[in-house]
Amino acid sequence: MTDNPFFTPSELPYGLPPFAQVREEHYLPALERGMADQLREVREITENPAPPTFANTIEALERSGRILHRTVTVFFSISASDATDGIREIETQVSPRLSQHADSIRLNRPLYARIKQVTTDDAEEAWLLEKYRVDFVRAGADLSEADQERLRELNEELTRLSTTFSQNLLTASTDSALVVEDAALLDGLSESTIKAIEKDGSYVLTLFNHTNQPALAELTNRETRRRLYELSTGRAPENFELAARMATLRAERAALLGYPSHAAYSVADQTAKTTEAVEEMLGKLVGPAVANARREAEALSEQAGFPIEPWDWSFYAERVRKARYDFDGADLRPYFELDRVLRDGVFHAAGELYGVTFSERDDLAGYHPDVRVFEVFDADGSPLGLFLFDPYARPTKRGGAWMNNLVDQSHLFDERPVVMNNLNITKPAEGPTLLTFDEVNTAFHEFGHALHGLFSDVRFPRVSGTAVPRDFVEYPSQVNEMWATWPSILANFARHHETGESVPAELLEKMKAAERFNQGFATVEYLAAALLDWSWHKLARGKTVEDAEAFENAALERAGITLGLVRPRYRTNYFAHIFFSGVGGYSAGYYSYIWSEVLDAESVDWFEENGGLGRGNGDHFRSTLLSVGGSRDVMDAFRDFRGRDPRIEPLLKRRGLQV
């Protein structure tokens, strides 16, 4: 297939993949050639008669596998964002083969022997060299032949199970959707939402990939709420068995590699370092969070006039907000039109902080008609990279919101970054796209990841942009959320979509006051998921779980976070973060969000102490932290930015968890 677009570098600006030329039949040949080429390149490294040097070993590895990298990057971006039946079939075929390919490199003894002999006096090279050494050891390079063979088998089976888990979940988001025939049962939803979900005379609410569906806050019919909630928590039941099997296999793999559990293996190369550090931090939060949630539950039952059930929580939380604070979140939606939020909010904040500007490139195509492409320019007018924005939900897109790199910045290849943000906003049947405040916040959050990728200024792709420990990667994106409510930014984008009038100041004040309510629920929901993840991955070698649902319940009870009204944000059967490695490998790592929020709360304090929004502050954050990616110790980068080690007190204050 000589016309395969993956065989040669893209000629589009910034190396943007030529999506218009890519067809499904291109993927398998490109993946096969890419793997073969990289194995040949690795063989040339190991057979090089010259003594091992950084250039002929580590840099040569960085240069290897370019066809494979281009293909994998595009393929898995598409499989997450627009997965047709054909894409899913290819994913099932290639995922185990890619796992085998990775093992064939990381378990290559001659290659590992060369890496161990490399020395360098250059600080950035030395950091990357150590990264490679750690990668190979953690992948099993020091194991015996027999143990390496078992490791290959484990990795291959885990990849197959992970792919099946993900595909089950994608199917369930549609198959487990709430279908009603009578629009009256959807009372409380906006007229535009009801129009958007109408299909052939019925109304279909597809599931978002977390327990509490947004519609639960609006639906007035209690039976409809119950049905939606139970569909959400009961979806993809076949994934319980898959999850239990994966947890057992991960425990065996960790033991092979010398760790008492997968959790211990997982955190060893994170900023947390030890399981004890994670457990100490989570333990500080459980008691105050549960106490707050119990108080909130009492207020909700009082408002309802009866003991509430889990599917009632979101609905009556909105009523309590309205009663206590005279605030209804729906009142804000007319002021949050998608394009204005993006241009006059997200982009405007980045311009004020960093001096960057954005120009939409209608001449460049994304992988779907909904995708918009923007060229990004630095403060001096020089080109910085491309940003792709894919805002809408669709049956072929997985749930949630995320950022991907399509091109990694590196000086080695003289490549500038191409990054993408995916959201899951319901596309209206007609008229403007109006957002909830949570969706506004998510847009700012994901663009924080995008900035981390766009501002990368490193030599090597292995440490580019967001290639940092996962318990650090959420930190810059969480910091970027602060600008969603910064007065001058909010005033710039929060305008009525029909009249252009600014959002009333008193409505914003009510929103800020109301935000303090329900923090107990939000924290318990999150902690329950983090501790569930932790329990699955503290299993010892040889431990099997026959009843995954019973295991889940027992794990939460042991952790002291059983509150019948608040289920984990993700139950085991739809916990894609930890059971689908393609999400980013968050197994035993869901704690990362709150771990990163400790750094985030400290950083928000720093911005406020130093005058808030302004180029000086933005340039300091960019130069000390965002631009360095993973090219140095990230906690050293944080100390350069903040001037000291992080403290937990700002986070406790933010979440109302001070005892």
Side-chain angles (χ1 to χ4, degrees), residues 27 45 104 197 201 224 260 324 347 351 390 407 468 470 501 522:
Y27 288 115
I45 295 171
S104 70
I197 64 173
T224 304
R324 286 189 180 182
F347 288 173
D390 184 358
V407 178
V468 296
R470 69 169 172 239
E501 294 178 359

Side-chain angles (χ1 to χ4, degrees), residues 32-317:
E32 289 169 349
R33 175 170 165 179
M35 287 187 281
D37 281 2
Q38 188 170 33
L39 291 179
R40 173 182 52 77
E41 291 160 344
V42 168
R43 189 163 55 251
E44 290 171 355
I45 295 171
T46 60
E47 294 175 355
N48 188 339
T53 65
F54 185 90
N56 69 21
T57 303
I58 303 301
E59 187 174 310
L61 278 172
E62 287 286 281
R63 293 183 181 278
S64 72
R66 298 305 290 167
I67 290 177
L68 182 62
H69 178 74
R70 284 194 296 270
T71 312
V72 164
T73 299
V74 172
F75 177 76
F76 284 104
S77 294
I78 299 301
S79 73
S81 303
D82 196 21
T84 63
D85 289 342
I87 291 292
R88 294 184 205 178
E89 175 58 31
I90 294 169
E91 185 178 26
T92 301
Q93 292 182 52
V94 303
S95 292
R97 294 176 62 185
L98 289 169
S99 175
Q100 294 169 357
H101 175 74
D103 282 343
S104 70
I105 295 174
R106 293 177 300 188
L107 301 180
N108 184 314
R109 293 187 185 280
L111 178 60
Y112 180 48
R114 285 187 69 90
I115 290 172
K116 289 191 291 186
Q117 296 176 61
V118 173
T119 61
T120 177
D121 294 327
D122 180 272
E124 192 169 351
E125 291 180 356
W127 180 259
L128 181 62
L129 172 60
E130 183 60 21
K131 285 280 186 188
Y132 268 96
R133 286 175 175 158
V134 170
D135 286 349
F136 273 67
V137 170
R138 287 175 58 79
D142 280 333
L143 297 180
S144 67
E145 291 287 351
D147 283 348
Q148 282 193 357
E149 182 57 34
R150 178 56 183 157
L151 186 67
R152 293 174 194 268
E153 293 171 358
L154 290 170
N155 288 340
E156 188 176 342
E157 185 174 357
L158 281 164
T159 300
R160 280 199 300 267
L161 293 170
S162 171
T163 301
T164 304
F165 185 101
S166 171
Q167 294 184 348
N168 289 345
L169 193 51
L170 184 60
T171 300
S173 68
T174 301
D175 289 355
S176 298
L178 174 69
V179 181
V180 299
E181 306 300 327
D182 184 358
L185 297 175
L186 301 175
D187 180 62
L189 299 184
S190 68
E191 184 179 341
S192 62
T193 298
I194 292 174
K195 283 183 179 179
I197 64 173
E198 184 179 4
K199 295 180 181 178
D200 301 324
S202 298
Y203 302 88
V204 182
L205 270 175
T206 55
L207 299 179
F208 289 79
N209 196 39
H210 39 70
T211 296
N212 278 285
Q213 302 298 303
L216 291 171
E218 302 171 329
L219 290 164
T220 63
N221 186 290
R222 196 178 186 210
E223 176 62 14
T224 304
R225 294 201 303 270
R226 183 193 64 78
R227 288 177 58 202
L228 178 60
Y229 184 87
E230 291 182 348
L231 285 167
S232 177
T233 57
R235 77 187 94 165
E238 62 273 25
N239 278 353
F240 279 114
E241 184 178 349
L242 294 177
R245 177 62 178 160
M246 290 176 72
T248 297
L249 295 178
R250 285 170 175 168
E252 182 183 349
R253 183 174 62 183
L256 269 181
L257 295 167
Y259 293 88
S261 67
H262 180 73
Y265 167 80
S266 181
V267 302
D269 70 338
Q270 303 299 304
T271 66
K273 302 299 184 189
T274 67
T275 57
E276 291 79 11
V278 174
E279 289 163 3
E280 179 184 2
M281 188 269 291
L282 294 177
K284 290 179 180 178
L285 301 174
V286 170
V290 170
N292 275 14
R294 290 191 191 283
R295 288 192 292 271
E296 292 166 1
E298 291 172 3
L300 299 186
S301 291
E302 182 180 342
Q303 176 71 26
F306 54 81
I308 64 167
E309 296 288 349
W311 46 86
D312 297 318
W313 189 295
S314 296
F315 183 80
Y316 285 103

Side-chain angles (χ1 to χ4, degrees), residues 372-393:
R372 301 167 66 182
V373 182
F374 297 86
E375 188 169 12
V376 189
F377 297 92
D378 217 334
D380 62 1
S382 61
L384 190 61
L386 290 180
F387 171 67
L388 279 68
F389 185 59
D390 184 358
Y392 294 118

Side-chain angles (χ1 to χ4, degrees), residues 265-505:
Y265 167 80
S266 181
V267 302
D269 70 338
Q270 303 299 304
T271 66
K273 302 299 184 189
T274 67
T275 57
E276 291 79 11
V278 174
E279 289 163 3
E280 179 184 2
M281 188 269 291
L282 294 177
K284 290 179 180 178
L285 301 174
V286 170
V290 170
N292 275 14
R294 290 191 191 283
R295 288 192 292 271
E296 292 166 1
E298 291 172 3
L300 299 186
S301 291
E302 182 180 342
Q303 176 71 26
F306 54 81
I308 64 167
E309 296 288 349
W311 46 86
D312 297 318
W313 189 295
S314 296
F315 183 80
Y316 285 103
E318 288 302 311
R319 272 72 202 157
V320 169
R321 281 195 183 98
K322 191 167 182 62
R324 286 189 180 182
Y325 309 105
D326 190 26
F327 174 73
D328 185 343
D331 293 340
L332 283 173
R333 289 186 76 135
Y335 298 92
F336 296 150
E337 189 274 321
L338 174 61
D339 193 60
R340 189 182 285 276
V341 169
L342 180 66
R343 292 181 179 276
D344 297 342
V346 174
F347 288 173
H348 178 65
E352 293 293 295
L353 271 172
Y354 309 110
V356 293
T357 55
F358 303 83
S359 175
E360 189 155 11
R361 292 288 302 265
D362 294 327
D363 59 317
L364 297 178
Y367 50 84
H368 187 276
D370 287 340
V371 178
R372 301 167 66 182
V373 182
F374 297 86
E375 188 169 12
V376 189
F377 297 92
D378 217 334
D380 62 1
S382 61
L384 190 61
L386 290 180
F387 171 67
L388 279 68
F389 185 59
D390 184 358
Y392 294 118
R394 49 182 169 267
T396 55
K397 182 192 278 192
R398 68 172 170 85
W402 65 95
M403 170 266 193
N404 277 354
N405 277 17
L406 290 169
V407 178
D408 299 316
Q409 177 276 329
S410 77
H411 298 305
L412 182 67
F413 293 110
D414 192 26
E415 289 182 335
R416 295 187 176 94
V418 177
V419 305
M420 57 189 289
N421 276 176
N422 271 264
L423 308 180
N424 259 287
I425 299 164
T426 300
K427 189 174 186 178
E430 56 187 26
T433 303
L434 304 179
L435 309 185
T436 66
F437 179 72
D438 281 347
E439 289 169 334
V440 171
N441 202 57
T442 298
F444 276 85
H445 175 99
E446 294 305 329
F447 196 69
H449 285 306
L451 289 172
H452 203 177
L454 286 166
F455 288 154
S456 179
D457 187 15
V458 300
R459 286 171 61 188
F460 304 108
R462 167 65 177 80
V463 293
S464 177
T466 57
V468 296
R470 69 169 172 239
D471 58 7
F472 190 87
V473 73
E474 296 297 333
Y475 154 53
S477 56
Q478 288 170 337
V479 171
N480 205 59
E481 293 175 22
M482 71 178 290
W483 309 117
T485 53
W486 195 259
S488 63
I489 301 299
L490 196 59
N492 201 58
F493 75 83
R495 295 179 177 274
H496 198 283
H497 71 100
E498 292 178 335
T499 67
E501 294 178 359
S502 297
V503 62

